[in-house]
Amino acid sequence: MATTDAGLASDAHEQPGHGHSDHGHGDHDHPSYLAHHFDTPEQQFDSGKLGMWLFLVTEVLFFSGMFCAYAIFRAWRPEVFEGCSQFLNTKLGAINTGVLLFSSFTMAWGVRCAQKEQHKLLTVMLATTLSCATVFLGVKAIEYSHKWHLGLLPAGLFSYDPSNPHPVGGPNYLAYICAPFVAITIGVAIWLVVSFLRGAKFQLECAKPLLVVCLCFFVGVGLGTILESGGEEGHHEDDHAVVASTDGTAAEHGKEHAHADGDQHVDHEEPAAAAVASLPAAGAMSNDSADLAVLERLASDATNTGLQDELAARKAQSERSGGGILYDVSDDASATVASAPENVLRPSRAGVFFSIYYCMTGIHAIHILAGIGVLVWLLVRSIRMDFNRNYFGPVDYVGLYWHIVDMIWIYLFPLMYLIR
Amino acid sequence: MSAHENAQEGYDFAHPLPLPLLAGTFLVLTLLTVLTVAQASFNFGSLDVLIVMVIATIKAVLVGAIFMHLAWDKPFNIICFIGSFVFVGLFIMATLFDSRQTAKDDIPVTDDAVVSAPAEL
């Protein structure tokens, strides 16, 4: 394969081409892949590559603005970043890192295939890269919808309530995120069937890998669901300990406070738990425990949402009245109003963390979407066997873009998910 | 850059990387990811961010040098790309320095009258 003269082969290719010679191409012959203002394929490749590198420079500078915002807010409030990072699922982040690294590997392999004119293998590599991209987005869909459901939203919309972490009702965010992907998958499936029935061979060849790519999104969603539910047990103790404390386990409560105030207080956890255990349980101080029992029974009727809200409010109130006065043992000397601003989960503070989180990961996801767009273009061209050892520029340039998206995630992952 | 003699000038310039090199790079990157996740369960105090960033930078260099083919690229492309990181470093350091200097300027406003007081001149 590699021994054929790619230049000559493509020259022959150009002859049946329609209308090429009518706009002045006839006077000097050059392969169809070589634009007429370039002398050689190498010159064409180098020009394109320089342009791509300059674009990547603007990408790096573009993302640096967000990394700068991250640096400033983290320098101001390190404890907020530590506290809020607990809400990000490290397993999902790590899986996504692996998926992106693998897609980078297949992309680099794809460039090699294009250079060596392995057309079939190039198509396989591009399809694999695309599939990894959709798996990544599927996992991301689970992450986002889970957080939106909890109310872990950007500043201004942040509505997470530790005493009611699983609000009943609310829209099914996952369905909204999945809807466009479902529509695209159905569209591709219909295209596949139609092109099969009409005997359109080329279209069939394009639709087959694209259907696999679309289905991989749902593989990602499934993977994310499994990991998210698997990580829930470990999660529960940290995030939702307050729920347990309303049932009277005051020791849990002390633990929750120790967590919320960052690791400088973790050393106090054991004495705090012991001290708190000797105190009356949260909720026992207020004498509406009987009301709570009644309400709990009423609220077990899931249709009675009004009562459920009231119950949630009462729980929050009684827990706060108990916890605020008796159990804030995080700092004995200053368990006063003055210590309140230190609360990591204050909406204005935690919201800023999630603003940065959504901004950075969201724009990264938009880059993944753009990458999917250009990779689909490459996939179609590779099925058309457009690339050869003198013309592999587009594969290389898209590869560079894909690697920089991966590189940005390499920094995002530890900075967002791995803060203690 | 290598063997142009036997072919037409400006043709056959491709430099395909050997597959074991690509696969090895992927393997090392995966191992470094495992290392990053593993180190998060130990407490290194303030060195924490430094360790994480060093590992991330090693990974980024591997991706850049081998996957992005920078190790064999034209020097000008390398200068452009590395240059962008130099400017990112300057940008973030200068902003952090400024933010640290002016952080004490945050005067809490407890009384609305302070806000509504006219700035006279």
Side-chain angles (χ1 to χ4, degrees):
Chain A
M1 246 319 188
T3 51
T4 60
D5 190 333
L8 291 180
S10 307
D11 269 341
H13 221 263
E14 205 196 1
Q15 300 314 320
H18 19 272
H20 263 275
S21 47
D22 357 350
H23 49 272
H25 277 219
D27 48 347
H28 58 285
D29 58 319
H30 54 79
S32 63
Y33 56 78
L34 182 63
H36 67 86
H37 52 283
F38 291 116
D39 289 335
T40 61
E42 187 176 13
Q43 190 195 29
Q44 173 172 267
F45 174 77
D46 287 341
S47 314
K49 194 150 185 170
L50 175 62
M52 198 64 206
W53 277 116
L54 292 181
F55 169 64
L56 294 187
V57 166
T58 67
E59 285 285 282
V60 169
L61 295 177
F62 168 60
F63 270 95
S64 76
M66 282 174 283
F67 278 104
C68 193
Y70 174 93
I72 291 172
F73 282 103
R74 187 164 174 187
W76 271 353
R77 297 266 166 218
E79 75 281 2
V80 171
F81 277 69
E82 276 166 29
C84 290
S85 177
Q86 307 303 317
F87 288 97
L88 306 185
N89 191 328
T90 310
K91 270 189 227 162
L92 291 184
I95 283 291
N96 260 354
T97 311
V99 166
L100 265 197
L101 285 177
F102 185 69
S103 79
S104 257
F105 167 55
T106 56
M107 189 70 230
W109 192 350
V111 173
R112 178 190 149 85
C113 292
Q115 289 169 334
K116 295 184 77 96
E117 301 181 358
Q118 301 164 323
H119 299 291
K120 272 267 170 334
L121 198 56
L122 171 60
T123 309
V124 171
M125 284 305 142
L126 290 176
T128 313
T129 310
L130 273 167
S131 304
C132 287
T134 48
V135 168
F136 180 90
L137 287 181
V139 173
K140 206 95 222 136
I142 291 291
E143 278 193 84
Y144 276 7
S145 59
H146 182 67
K147 284 182 188 57
W148 294 346
H149 176 68
L150 296 182
L152 296 166
L153 292 163
L157 298 168
F158 188 87
S159 60
Y160 178 72
D161 181 2
S163 57
N164 184 24
H166 291 291
V168 184
N172 186 350
Y173 294 111
L174 186 60
Y176 285 125
I177 300 175
C178 287
F181 291 94
V182 171
I184 292 168
T185 309
I186 292 171
V188 172
I190 292 171
W191 179 34
L192 182 80
V193 171
V194 167
S195 56
F196 177 72
L197 292 178
R198 289 174 56 201
K201 203 160 168 290
F202 179 72
Q203 295 199 15
L204 187 66
E205 287 302 304
C206 295
K208 273 194 279 186
L210 284 181
L211 185 64
V212 175
V213 167
C214 291
L215 290 175
C216 274
F217 176 80
F218 303 101
V219 172
V221 170
L223 190 68
T225 313
I226 293 166
L227 289 176
E228 185 74 57
S229 55
E232 198 71 355
E233 286 87 34
H235 234 47
H236 255 293
E237 282 153 37
D238 285 350
D239 306 344
H240 313 320
V242 189
V243 183
S245 74
T246 54
D247 298 330
T249 46
E252 285 270 347
H253 199 117
K255 191 179 168 199
E256 202 278 332
H257 267 280
H259 267 285
D261 289 343
D263 59 359
Q264 67 265 41
H265 296 304
V266 165
D267 338 358
H268 304 306
E269 192 176 311
E270 287 318 306
V276 159
S278 63
L279 295 167
M285 293 298 286
S286 47
N287 45 13
D288 60 0
S289 48
D291 296 355
L292 279 178
V294 174
L295 278 169
E296 250 168 281
R297 243 183 306 134
L298 283 171
S300 64
D301 179 10
T303 53
N304 198 342
T305 53
L307 260 181
Q308 280 185 337
D309 285 348
E310 193 184 336
L311 178 63
R314 269 172 184 272
K315 272 185 173 173
Q317 200 175 18
S318 86
E319 177 260 316
R320 288 235 169 106
S321 65
I325 300 160
L326 288 174
Y327 305 123
D328 192 3
V329 289
S330 51
D331 189 346
D332 296 324
S334 62
T336 58
V337 179
S339 71
E342 298 307 314
N343 185 0
V344 163
L345 277 177
R346 275 178 71 192
S348 58
R349 300 253 161 88
V352 168
F353 173 82
F354 282 100
S355 292
I356 292 173
Y357 165 77
Y358 284 118
C359 194
M360 294 184 87
T361 59
I363 289 177
H364 181 266
I366 289 171
H367 277 75
I368 297 271
L369 282 175
I372 287 175
V374 280
L375 278 167
V376 168
W377 170 68
L378 278 190
L379 185 73
V380 172
R381 290 193 70 181
S382 103
I383 293 168
R384 215 166 60 189
M385 298 205 259
D386 272 2
F387 304 114
N388 58 56
R389 70 174 191 279
N390 282 322
Y391 180 65
F392 54 89
V395 187
D396 205 22
Y397 310 150
V398 170
L400 290 181
Y401 171 79
W402 194 253
H403 296 314
I404 201 125
V405 172
D406 182 31
M407 210 184 254
I408 289 161
W409 184 261
I410 283 175
Y411 281 101
L412 266 185
F413 169 60
L415 286 180
M416 286 289 178
Y417 291 76
L418 298 178
I419 314 170
R420 273 186 322 279
Chain B
M1 291 168 211
S2 47
H4 275 177
E5 303 82 39
N6 53 353
Q8 215 180 327
E9 183 62 33
Y11 285 78
D12 290 325
F13 55 92
H15 179 255
L17 293 180
L19 200 50
L21 178 66
L22 296 178
T25 309
F26 169 64
L27 209 69
V28 172
L29 286 171
T30 314
L31 287 177
L32 284 173
T33 307
V34 173
L35 186 69
T36 321
V37 176
Q39 69 80 36
S41 44
F42 302 102
N43 195 355
F44 294 112
S46 57
L47 281 176
D48 207 27
V49 184
L50 196 71
I51 292 171
V52 156
M53 290 309 284
V54 165
I55 295 177
T57 306
I58 294 172
K59 285 167 77 180
V61 166
L62 277 177
V63 169
I66 294 165
F67 282 172
M68 298 173 94
H69 204 263
L70 262 184
W72 301 269
D73 212 331
K74 294 213 169 354
F76 186 71
N77 290 347
I78 301 172
I79 290 169
C80 284
F81 193 56
I82 304 292
S84 76
F85 285 98
V86 172
F87 281 103
V88 168
L90 274 178
F91 173 40
I92 291 182
M93 277 195 299
T95 321
L96 272 183
F97 182 70
D98 184 63
S99 137
R100 210 160 275 190
Q101 289 298 304
T102 54
K104 298 177 196 78
D105 295 353
D106 182 23
I107 302 163
V109 179
T110 47
D111 190 356
D112 281 344
V114 178
V115 179
S116 58
E120 59 270 84
L121 231 183

